[in-house]
Amino acid sequence: MDTTRHENAHDTGLQRGLKNRHIQLIALGGAVGTGLFLGSAGVLQLAGPSMILGYAIGGFIAFLIMRQLGEMIVEEPVAGSFSHFAHAYWGRFAGFLSGWNYWVLYVLVGMAELTAVGKYVHFWWPEIPTWATAAVFFLFINAINLANVKMFGEAEFWFAIIKVVAIIGMILLGLYLLFSGRGGEQAAVSNLWSHGGFFPKGIGGLVMAMAFIMFAFGGLELVGIAAAETSEPRTVIPRAINQVVYRILIFYIGALAVLLALYPWDALLTSLNAAGDAYSGSPFVRIFSLLGSDIAAHVLNFVVLTAALSVYNSGVYCNSRMLYGLAKQGDAPAALAHTDKRGVPVAAIAASALVTLLCVLVNYLLPQQALEILMSLVVSALVINWAMISLAHLKFRKAMSARGVTTGFPAIWHPLGNYLCLAFLALILVVLALTPGIRIAVWLIPPWLLLIWAGYRLRMRGRTAAAA
């Protein structure tokens, strides 16, 4: 197939300003953030060392879904990504639901990341309220995205570079402390199983932790949104998606295994809870503080701060491009499809920012509960989003088979992989529904779907009236 012709068929007002190095690091940026650095504290409380297995399972499911999305993206690298695929191969309402749900998902992700930033700043200045920190970084990140797509790509590239270097450095330092004896008497590989076993809370504890583990993998699909502004997507996108496996092994499994070997998990959890709640600080930072390595703790706190900003930066980008794609296919107001002379969808960025500002209010009213509530809402929206990707992929493959088209980047285990992913996502909803304090995230799904349906009917009525 003529790649150039195929890509130009989907030309928009956006500019293909993202290069291979940007996409590789954007894929990494979406995968490593608050879910690992701060969310792992709640997971530790529920599952203990078995959280390592939980992140491996969650990562595998995420990879299967990424391959399903990747197969569709490589054939049609368009703005709006999976909303477009749901729209084209499933139906107009499916595209409407997929797109608006993803937009809300990343508004919630943005709120969660800005809340996490406040938690990290508390490590240095505990007197600064989280809402104030959220407001400052809200303005900073939106200013970057209003520049141009290359500015976003460069910012995300360097944010992600800091994360990569720091996590690898942390793993190496941890291994050195572990095997040189400098980590103290409590540092031992046996910490992974000697304090109540590898499953101290039983298999049930691990299952209950899976909902919070899935929060960590929300953002991998960012590659799909970036496809419309990627040069040579048929080459770059498969490479980025296939490397997800290695990133999960190194940055999740490797980092957590070293972390939990350095200090008994139960003692670490006691230290975190002593500061107010399990989410009062990053386990990664706390572990080095407990070991007396203050310099490493300060450096790592800076890193986890930039990691949260990185994911929020990606979220602002995602939301604006999803709104842009929705407007292009007629599912959002036409004004949101406007781009300025630099190819920046200013109206879409502004609309997303306005809603994300609610984060400041949430942190002002509920400073202690804000992060856990936002994380559970993110997971519910993520379940809908990933289920839509798997279901749209089944429709896509059926359409391709009917046309006799052999795709260039086929998904793994189709269709069994799709059904496995859908069953896993159903399990996550059950877990959320059984967890006190956050089950409201599941009960809100039916009214949310009804609200989307009402919005869709209103939009269709408006289009019909305009056509008449």
Side-chain angles (χ1 to χ4, degrees):
M1 178 184 289
D2 181 0
T3 304
T4 303
R5 182 198 62 76
H6 185 82
E7 291 169 12
N8 288 343
H10 300 288
D11 275 349
T12 68
L14 303 176
Q15 298 178 1
R16 292 194 182 273
L18 298 178
K19 306 301 181 185
N20 178 52
R21 68 184 178 90
H22 294 134
I23 292 300
Q24 298 301 327
L25 272 297
I26 285 170
L28 177 59
V32 180
T34 295
L36 173 63
F37 290 128
L38 193 59
S40 55
V43 176
L44 179 66
Q45 185 164 291
L46 289 167
S50 66
M51 66 190 293
I52 297 170
L53 176 60
Y55 278 98
I57 294 170
F60 177 68
I61 295 296
F63 177 64
L64 289 181
I65 292 174
M66 283 295 293
R67 283 296 301 259
Q68 293 160 20
L69 178 60
E71 180 176 1
M72 296 187 287
I73 293 168
V74 168
E75 294 304 306
E76 300 178 45
V78 295
S81 185
F82 34 85
S83 172
H84 162 80
F85 301 124
H87 186 281
Y89 297 101
W90 192 353
R92 180 171 285 278
F93 175 65
F96 188 92
L97 167 61
S98 182
W100 281 106
N101 180 75
Y102 192 74
W103 181 74
V104 167
L105 166 63
Y106 255 96
V107 164
L108 292 168
V109 166
M111 290 181 178
E113 298 298 334
L114 286 172
T115 301
V117 166
K119 301 278 189 182
Y120 301 141
V121 170
H122 280 172
F123 182 74
W124 295 307
W125 302 291
E127 68 279 4
I128 298 178
T130 51
W131 67 264
T133 311
V136 170
F137 285 106
F138 166 84
L139 293 171
F140 172 63
I141 295 298
N142 278 281
I144 288 175
N145 278 266
L146 284 168
N148 57 47
V149 70
K150 189 173 181 181
M151 179 72 77
F152 157 76
E154 285 299 322
E156 192 54 36
F157 177 81
W158 290 108
F159 275 148
I161 282 288
I162 290 172
K163 282 191 280 192
V164 172
V165 172
I167 295 176
I168 291 175
M170 188 213 72
I171 292 173
L172 293 176
L173 175 60
L175 289 172
Y176 168 73
L177 292 173
L178 190 61
F179 294 109
S180 68
R182 296 293 183 90
E185 293 180 1
Q186 77 286 332
V189 176
S190 60
N191 282 330
L192 298 177
W193 60 81
S194 61
H195 293 261
F198 186 68
F199 294 95
K201 303 296 181 76
I203 297 294
L206 175 60
V207 172
M208 295 304 288
M210 289 308 301
F212 292 104
I213 287 173
M214 292 315 294
F215 174 83
F217 296 107
L220 287 172
E221 66 284 339
L222 172 60
V223 175
I225 302 293
E229 293 172 276
T230 304
S231 57
E232 302 181 16
R234 290 177 64 83
T235 303
V236 172
I237 298 296
R239 193 180 304 157
I241 289 175
N242 282 334
Q243 289 178 3
V244 166
V245 172
Y246 307 113
R247 293 180 181 124
I248 289 169
L249 287 174
I250 295 171
F251 297 109
Y252 283 87
I253 313 306
L256 288 170
V258 171
L259 178 82
L260 295 178
L262 283 173
Y263 209 81
W265 73 272
D266 47 356
L268 172 60
L269 190 59
T270 299
S271 176
L272 288 167
N273 285 326
D277 63 88
Y279 297 105
S280 59
S282 169
F284 288 79
V285 176
R286 185 60 56 88
I287 201 89
F288 285 102
S289 289
L290 291 170
L291 291 173
S293 184
D294 287 338
I295 294 176
H298 283 289
V299 170
L300 203 50
N301 197 62
F302 170 74
V303 171
V304 297
L305 173 63
T306 60
L309 292 175
S310 164
V311 177
Y312 178 51
N313 186 40
S314 298
V316 172
Y317 173 84
C318 264
N319 266 348
S320 59
R321 271 52 179 186
M322 181 56 79
L323 276 185
Y324 175 90
L326 284 167
K328 277 292 196 180
Q329 66 191 29
D331 289 335
L336 295 173
H338 173 72
T339 57
D340 64 12
K341 61 184 180 182
R342 297 160 300 160
V344 178
V346 176
I349 291 175
S352 300
L354 197 61
V355 180
T356 306
L357 253 183
L358 287 171
C359 168
V360 177
L361 180 63
V362 171
N363 276 280
Y364 180 75
L365 297 174
L366 301 165
Q368 294 298 325
Q369 297 85 20
L371 185 64
E372 190 167 47
I373 291 170
L374 289 168
M375 283 174 64
S376 61
L377 290 172
V378 166
V379 172
S380 288
L382 183 66
V383 165
I384 296 172
N385 178 47
W386 282 9
M388 295 292 287
I389 291 174
S390 268
L391 290 166
H393 178 257
L394 287 169
K395 303 277 187 181
F396 166 84
R397 278 292 288 263
K398 186 176 180 180
M400 292 298 104
S401 297
R403 297 177 196 171
V405 174
T406 301
T407 58
F409 185 52
I412 297 172
W413 295 357
H414 169 271
L416 179 62
N418 298 66
Y419 298 131
L420 175 64
C421 292
L422 291 169
F424 180 82
L425 294 172
L427 172 65
I428 295 300
L429 287 182
V430 172
V431 168
L432 281 174
L434 293 175
T435 306
I438 61 171
R439 54 171 58 109
I440 189 172
V442 177
W443 306 142
L444 286 174
I445 290 178
W448 167 237
L449 295 177
L450 282 173
L451 181 63
I452 290 284
W453 173 253
Y456 171 74
R457 296 306 306 167
L458 198 63
R459 186 69 184 161
M460 290 301 100
R461 193 176 301 162
R463 288 168 64 92
T464 303

